[in-house]
Amino acid sequence: MKISKPIKDSSFAVYGLGLSGNSAFKFLKKKNIKKIYTWDDKKNKNDKKKFNLFKKILDEVDYIIISPGINIQKTKFKSELFINKKKLITDLDLFYMQKIPIKSIVITGTNGKSTVCKLTQHIFKTNKLDAQLGGNIGKPILDLKIKKKSIVIIEASSFQLSYTKFIKPTFGAILNISSDHLDWHKTISNYKNSKFKIFSKQDNNDTALLNNKKLIKLFKKNNYLSKLIIVRINPLKNIIKKKITNNYLISEPNSKNLAFVYQISKLFKIKEKIFLKAVNNFKGLPHRHEIFLKKKNITFINDSKATSFDSTKFALKKNKNIFWIFGGLPKIRDNFNLEGVSSNIIKSFIIGKKTTYFKNQIFKKIKYKISFNLKNAIKDVFKEILLIKHSKATVLFSPASASYDQFSNFDDRGNQFKKITKDYAKKFL
């Protein structure tokens, strides 16, 4: 799809007034766009007159800016949106439709996006480059204060990419792909296709970065125009062993993430000395294997960002004598393969509204108790801790599921875990 009209001559419907929707609306107002129409399911749900008007408007406008959290198959505007699917764009598209002459880096993948984006920005800033970060992390992309020499780093989710039409990064990277969000995308093929959109508009002046054989094969099959760089971990091995002291980044999954960051830093000609300085003083992001408390031989880890078993398995591999709290909204077709990690788990505690699902995943493999909610689970864990006395143990909150049954998001879930845990630790340890 080509950009049929420039922004200034177009009309827009903004569907969803969350962070990205509001940002897009403000952006269009600043551009003095005369025809902007908005709808939000929560704010306008009882306004039948506006609802009927918006349905009509969807057929008339040039572009429909849709918030990434909206699944068009589950909305009251379903038929209108399917008819007008070619008009659907996101705030990312508005950014690229401007054709700003700067370098951009788009990072996507099932796991590790935020860490790679934040670390890349940290290295660039250490090298005194103006690195702006937005998209699915931090500020909406249209809220960034961009200058002539800015480098824009974008974390892109599969939800954003499923609607995008005009995204064209100077550098695009897919870190990994595993089964996730299939309740949204329906098939793994649809999920992959959404991720691969970051390469579809690239030309031979742009660069694609991949490290997985299957993804590399798919890239070549699709005959994308961009230059392909295969990211390998081998060039980093000697550096990791001798010069990188940040334990957070030399773990198994993060060493693969680090390989992407290292390759990107080389493309921007950042010296190894600067790279190492930034990597070694980089603080890990919250809710990602976050060791937030150690007391009387007990280590407490908040891994709330782990929304699938694939994400959780690293923590189960890395730690011993684990009291594992998990559960929430399960991911479609997620499989709990506990081979090689079950011996690390002393006992598990299941929370959430789908406890039967999780019990069936671990039944006869590890000990468990159904605690139903986070507070009960923490209370149950502390009862077990008090019985083991001075033995070393790890309390791991790695839910292996989405948070929305009992929490507003993974941040809320992780913060509640830390708060309740610290309160109990003060009382009993």
Side-chain angles (χ1 to χ4, degrees), residues 124-301:
F124 283 8
K125 284 191 169 183
T126 303
N127 199 51
K128 302 199 182 319
L129 296 171
D130 177 32
Q132 303 282 334
L133 176 60
N136 197 47
I137 185 174
K139 290 182 178 180
I141 190 70
L142 296 171
D143 289 355
L144 298 181
K145 307 296 182 187
I146 296 167
K147 302 168 188 173
K148 284 185 179 179
K149 293 186 178 180
S150 294
I151 301 162
V152 176
I153 304 164
I154 301 170
E155 179 186 321
S157 72
S158 61
F159 302 150
Q160 290 170 308
L161 294 173
S162 65
Y163 297 132
T164 193
K165 302 287 191 302
F166 306 118
I167 192 168
K168 187 186 180 297
T170 320
F171 304 91
I174 301 177
L175 307 180
N176 47 62
I177 290 182
S178 59
S179 297
D180 200 3
H181 303 307
L182 297 188
D183 54 334
W184 175 287
H185 296 283
K186 303 303 179 186
T187 68
I188 190 69
S189 178
N190 289 342
Y191 181 53
K192 282 182 183 177
N193 289 339
S194 73
K195 298 291 190 185
F196 268 79
K197 279 191 177 183
I198 66 171
F199 306 133
S200 62
K201 298 291 181 187
Q202 286 187 314
D203 57 35
N204 54 15
N205 294 314
D206 302 318
T207 302
L209 295 96
L210 294 167
N211 72 344
N212 177 281
K213 286 181 181 178
K214 289 182 180 179
L215 299 184
I216 292 165
K217 187 177 179 181
L218 185 57
F219 179 92
K220 291 178 178 178
K221 182 181 176 182
N222 286 332
N223 295 315
Y224 293 115
L225 298 177
S226 47
K227 176 186 174 184
L228 174 63
I229 291 180
I230 298 171
V231 178
R232 305 186 190 279
I233 201 165
N234 286 341
L236 257 182
K237 281 186 176 177
N238 289 331
I239 298 173
I240 288 173
K241 282 180 183 177
K242 296 176 183 177
K243 298 176 182 176
I244 295 178
T245 56
N246 190 330
N247 288 328
Y248 176 76
L249 291 170
I250 58 177
S251 60
E252 183 184 340
N254 273 331
S255 60
K256 293 177 182 178
N257 295 335
L258 192 56
F260 275 93
V261 179
Y262 182 62
Q263 183 62 64
I264 291 168
S265 73
K266 283 176 67 181
L267 289 168
F268 280 83
K269 298 180 180 177
I270 292 171
K271 293 179 180 178
E272 190 173 293
K273 184 179 177 181
I274 298 291
F275 172 82
L276 288 169
K277 179 184 176 182
V279 164
N280 284 327
N281 66 28
F282 178 72
K283 292 181 180 178
L285 301 180
H287 314 299
R288 296 153 175 88
H289 204 267
E290 177 189 7
I291 299 171
F292 68 96
L293 182 64
K294 286 186 178 183
K295 203 165 184 181
K296 292 189 178 178
N297 292 326
I298 313 296
T299 300
F300 296 88
I301 300 174

Side-chain angles (χ1 to χ4, degrees), residues 339-393:
E339 186 178 347
V341 298
S342 58
S343 60
N344 292 342
I345 303 164
I346 297 173
K347 193 172 181 177
S348 63
F349 303 83
I350 304 172
I351 65 170
K353 294 180 180 178
K354 302 285 184 180
T355 53
T356 302
Y357 170 87
F358 292 104
K359 183 187 79 172
N360 291 339
Q361 289 278 356
I362 64 168
F363 189 64
K364 293 185 178 179
K365 297 175 185 175
I366 55 174
K367 290 181 181 179
Y368 70 89
K369 180 175 181 179
I370 296 176
S371 299
F372 295 106
N373 62 57
L374 188 55
K375 190 169 184 179
N376 285 346
I378 294 168
K379 187 191 289 185
D380 292 336
V381 167
F382 271 84
K383 286 178 183 176
E384 299 280 347
I385 287 173
L386 294 172
L387 290 174
I388 65 169
K389 293 183 180 178
H390 298 295
S391 300
K392 284 187 177 181

Side-chain angles (χ1 to χ4, degrees), residues 22-40:
N22 266 315
S23 173
F25 177 73
K26 289 174 185 175
F27 169 83
L28 294 172
K29 289 288 281 184
K30 284 182 182 177
K31 294 285 182 183
N32 295 316
I33 306 301
K34 292 178 181 177
K35 293 183 180 180
I36 314 168
Y37 309 92
T38 65
W39 174 270
D40 186 87

Side-chain angles (χ1 to χ4, degrees), residues 15 39-42 44-48 51-52 54-56 58 66 70-82:
Y15 183 17
W39 174 270
D40 186 87
D41 287 338
K42 290 180 181 177
N44 305 123
K45 63 180 178 180
N46 296 319
D47 193 334
K48 288 185 180 179
F51 176 81
N52 290 328
F54 196 74
K55 281 177 77 172
K56 186 181 176 183
L58 291 173
I66 190 164
I70 294 170
N71 187 335
I72 64 172
Q73 297 185 49
K74 296 179 180 179
T75 170
K76 291 178 181 178
F77 299 108
K78 177 180 176 180
S79 59
E80 288 78 18
L81 291 170
F82 268 100

